[in-house]
């Protein structure tokens, strides 16, 4: 415990895995308020539990002018267009139904 008191306020407090498991809800409440813990088993750190970091705010338009689309971006190859329309490359109907 004396070791924990000397540590900086941001350093995770060491807690044994049994103690952590036994009072999980209490530790999670402390994490919600900014505390962090290094969970140990046989004096070896096996996990570090930290409060979530704030996600950066989106800034629309940040990449404006840095992304280019190819001139043919929305042009389908003729064979793909024909297949989607049910035709072969020569323009004949591929419906398969005979009259």
């Amino acid at each position: 415990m004396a070791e924990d008191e000397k540590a900086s306020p941001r350093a995770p407090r060491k807690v044994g895995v049994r103690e952590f498991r036994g009072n999980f809800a209490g530790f999670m409440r402390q994490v919600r308020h900014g505390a962090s813990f290094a969970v140990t088993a046989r004096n070896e750190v096996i996990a570090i539990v930290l409060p979530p970091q704030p996600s950066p705010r989106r800034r629309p338009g940040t990449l404006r002018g840095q992304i280019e689309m190819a001139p043919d971006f929305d042009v389908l190859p003729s064979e793909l267009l024909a297949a989607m329309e049910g035709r072969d490359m020569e323009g004949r109907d591929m419906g398969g139904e005979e009259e």
Side-chain angles (χ1 to χ4, degrees):
M1 286 288 208
E3 182 181 312
D4 293 338
E5 293 169 10
K6 292 178 188 175
S8 70
R10 293 194 165 255
R13 190 180 104 199
K14 288 187 178 183
V15 175
V17 70
R18 286 185 182 178
E19 180 184 356
F20 188 78
R21 187 176 55 209
N23 189 12
F24 182 77
F27 284 113
M28 290 298 103
R29 210 172 5 264
Q30 291 178 53
V31 169
R32 182 183 296 147
H33 294 293
S36 58
F37 299 94
V39 182
T40 62
R42 297 187 176 113
N43 288 328
E44 179 184 349
V45 176
I46 59 170
I48 296 186
V49 182
L50 303 168
Q53 302 301 312
S55 57
R57 294 186 49 89
R58 279 190 72 220
R59 292 181 33 221
T62 304
L63 295 176
R64 184 168 304 180
Q66 297 179 20
I67 298 175
E68 246 180 73
M69 276 203 254
D72 63 347
F73 172 77
D74 58 350
V75 177
L76 288 175
S78 56
E79 58 272 3
L80 180 59
L81 183 59
M84 290 173 66
E85 292 176 343
R87 297 180 286 117
D88 63 11
M89 288 302 296
E90 285 76 38
R92 293 181 299 235
D93 186 24
M94 296 187 334
E97 297 179 17
E98 294 185 26
E99 297 180 24

